[in-house]
Amino acid sequence: AELLRVKEPAELPLAVVEGMRSLFEVPLATVRLWGLAPDYAAALFAQPTSEDARAFAASLTMPFCGPSLGLEPASWLQDELGVTPQSLALLPLRDGLPGASGTSGTVFGMLVLGSPDPQRFEATMGTDFLTRMAEVASAALSRLR
């Protein structure tokens, strides 16, 4: 509902991040987007992203949950609280609606949640809610493309 209240597209990434911090009660969250309209190229959320990170995001058929293990997206998290992420949830952001396989469209970003608790985001946790949150965030953030 908060995303519907955002009038300026450039404010959407912060609204998504703050919403995820609130929903999941995680201290670390960020979003990184690529392939945006030129008006947003200099924005914090559009910082350069390696081809490896983009390929990794495109390969995800569902959110990744697990240890940070030096993954590039862990370095994107703002550490204003002096917190080092030990576990991550990486949510690919896609254009388009989910298809029968659950994924469709081009990946244009990633939403990253981090926790100092190594067990907070683990490989065995259910990801249905995270998948739905990625779909909502994707729909909102696609306005920036």
Side-chain angles (χ1 to χ4, degrees), residues 5 10 13-15 40-41 50 54-55 73 84 98 105-106 116-118 134 136 143:
R5 293 186 187 103
L14 180 60
Y40 308 111
S50 74
R54 291 179 187 206
T84 301
T106 302
D117 177 357
V136 170
R143 291 176 52 194

Side-chain angles (χ1 to χ4, degrees), residues 93-143:
L93 303 172
R94 299 179 184 276
D95 276 336
L97 298 173
S101 67
T103 63
S104 68
T106 302
V107 172
F108 68 96
M110 188 182 307
L111 182 57
V112 182
L113 306 177
S115 175
D117 177 357
Q119 302 302 313
R120 177 64 193 271
F121 298 110
E122 59 176 344
T124 60
M125 72 184 294
T127 59
D128 290 344
F129 187 66
L130 290 173
T131 297
R132 182 65 185 133
M133 292 298 97
E135 291 169 1
V136 170
S138 294
L141 295 170
S142 66
R143 291 176 52 194

Side-chain angles (χ1 to χ4, degrees), residues 12-26:
L12 285 167
L14 180 60
V16 166
V17 167
E18 291 302 320
M20 295 305 281
R21 283 182 178 160
S22 172
L23 278 172
F24 288 99
E25 298 178 357
V26 293

Side-chain angles (χ1 to χ4, degrees), residues 7-65:
K7 292 184 182 1
E8 293 297 322
E11 296 173 7
L12 285 167
L14 180 60
V16 166
V17 167
E18 291 302 320
M20 295 305 281
R21 283 182 178 160
S22 172
L23 278 172
F24 288 99
E25 298 178 357
V26 293
L28 302 170
T30 194
V31 65
R32 186 69 61 95
L33 307 171
W34 47 87
L36 301 179
D39 291 349
Y40 308 111
L44 185 61
F45 52 80
Q47 290 180 8
T49 305
S50 74
E51 286 301 319
D52 286 345
R54 291 179 187 206
F56 178 68
S59 75
L60 295 174
T61 57
M62 58 190 232
F64 165 89
C65 295

